[in-house]
Amino acid sequence: MAPSIPSEYKAYLAAHGAFEGFTIGDMRPGYVALWSMDEVPSNNADIEIQDYAPGFLAFAGDGGGEVLAFDAAGAIFLLPLIGMEPQYAVKVANSFAELEARFERAI
């Protein structure tokens, strides 16, 4: 069963819209393109995440062949689109709030 979308992600999208840009410094993922709430279910179905990486729910891309995905606890992982398997998940944040704090914003 796929994790649900954390409320902090929904609240961020409602307040700011979908972020597309870089994370500060050398912190992973480097580039983030968030998906709208409408895109999350269809994009997850398209990449067949529940077949190849059960227990994850993708919500963004990194522009380089990986998706960002929540686990059941709301932690964020990078998953490769090619060779997608849970064993290749790399944790990049403990929560969406932690990831969002890294978004580079234009001044």
Side-chain angles (χ1 to χ4, degrees):
M1 183 167 165
S4 59
I5 299 170
S7 60
E8 60 187 357
Y9 184 70
K10 294 176 187 178
Y12 178 88
L13 289 179
H16 305 285
F19 174 82
E20 185 171 345
F22 294 94
T23 52
I24 57 174
D26 293 333
M27 300 182 93
R28 290 186 86 179
Y31 181 80
V32 177
L34 298 180
W35 300 339
S36 71
M37 291 297 296
D38 293 339
E39 293 173 308
V40 171
S42 61
N43 287 352
N44 276 269
D46 287 348
I47 63 174
E48 302 177 41
I49 196 166
Q50 287 309 300
D51 292 334
Y52 297 109
F56 290 96
L57 178 72
F59 66 94
D62 78 340
E66 295 178 305
V67 292
L68 285 91
F70 295 113
D71 70 359
I76 298 171
F77 293 80
L78 278 172
L79 280 168
L81 287 168
I82 297 175
M84 182 188 302
E85 293 183 40
Q87 69 189 26
Y88 299 120
V90 176
K91 189 174 186 180
V92 295
N94 291 313
S95 66
F96 182 75
E98 184 180 312
L99 176 67
E100 186 266 328
R102 299 179 198 162
F103 291 172
E104 192 173 87
R105 296 193 167 67
I107 297 175

